[in-house]
């Protein structure tokens, strides 16, 4: 279960690190393969444990009532491997020939997305103003009490152009 946030972070930060976007169709397919494979691999293990199967055994006697659960777990692990391979293929393919990411492909609120992808070593020519917990939103939309002035927004757009 701890691998899901790692895969999510790879997907989220890939455009910032590489300047390229993932193939979305392959990304959706890999998510569902990993999600279904994970649940199909591990939920039947839970059930077979409740039925009395000991942990960490590589083989067991036939006829103990765990055959279906172990078959489902094996199928689930294969689906999980296919999903992981799909993620790796998507990373390699997108790195080589993915579409350009642009400044902010996710419509994020934080300042790391206010600079180019991948960012230059210095990040910003001039630091943008931070007046809220969502500085990029207020910098680009100018809504709410923490909005920047029109002059500050023009300065930021000119610095990024």
């Amino acid at each position: 279960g701890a691998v899901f946030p790692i895969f999510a972070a790879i997907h989220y930060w890939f455009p910032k690190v590489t300047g390229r976007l993932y193939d979305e169709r392959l990304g959706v397919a890999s998510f569902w393969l990993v999600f279904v494979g994970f649940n199909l691999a591990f939920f039947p293990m839970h059930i077979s444990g409740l039925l009395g199967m000991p942990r960490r055994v590589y083989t067991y006697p036939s006829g103990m009532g765990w055959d279906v659960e172990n078959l489902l777990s094996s199928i689930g692990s294969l689906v999980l491997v296919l999903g992981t391979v799909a993620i790796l293929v998507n990373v390699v393919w997108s790195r080589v020939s993915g579409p350009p990411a642009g400044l902010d492909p996710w419509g994020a609120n934080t300042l790391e997305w206010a600079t180019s992808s991948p960012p230059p070593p210095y990040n910003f020519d001039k630091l943008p103003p931070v007046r809220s917990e969502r500085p990029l939103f207020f910098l680009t939309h100018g809504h709410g009490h923490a909005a920047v002035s029109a002059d500050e927004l023009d300065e930021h757009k000119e610095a990024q152009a």
Side-chain angles (χ1 to χ4, degrees):
V3 175
F4 279 103
I6 294 170
F7 286 152
I10 290 170
H11 183 79
Y12 183 77
W13 289 106
F14 186 82
K16 182 52 66 182
V17 172
T18 65
R20 302 276 181 183
L21 290 173
Y22 260 177
D23 178 75
E24 189 156 345
R25 285 187 10 220
L26 189 53
V28 168
S30 64
F31 166 79
W32 284 111
L33 284 170
V34 168
F35 182 79
V36 169
F38 175 85
N39 287 295
L40 190 58
F42 291 105
F43 186 70
M45 285 184 197
H46 175 72
I47 300 301
S48 61
L50 291 174
L51 294 174
M53 183 173 177
R55 295 177 68 188
R56 298 180 183 96
V57 295
Y58 71 96
T59 187
Y60 54 92
S62 181
M64 297 296 289
W66 308 320
D67 297 337
V68 172
E69 288 81 6
N70 280 299
L71 176 63
L72 289 174
S73 289
S74 297
I75 293 169
S77 66
L78 290 174
V79 173
L80 185 56
V81 166
L82 287 174
T84 305
V85 167
I87 289 171
L88 295 174
V89 166
N90 201 358
V91 165
V92 171
W93 181 86
S94 297
R95 178 68 177 119
V96 172
S97 60
L103 289 180
D104 184 13
W106 308 126
N109 290 321
T110 52
L111 285 179
E112 68 267 26
W113 296 100
T115 186
S116 64
S117 297
Y122 52 86
N123 240 359
F124 295 104
D125 290 328
K126 179 182 173 191
L127 288 177
V130 177
R131 297 193 178 150
S132 76
E133 71 281 356
R134 301 183 313 164
L136 185 56
F137 177 82
F138 290 113
L139 193 62
T140 56
H141 293 86
H143 294 102
H145 67 282
V148 298
S149 70
D151 292 335
E152 289 172 322
L153 184 57
D154 288 340
E155 288 175 11
H156 175 71
K157 287 179 180 177
E158 287 174 10
Q160 295 304 311

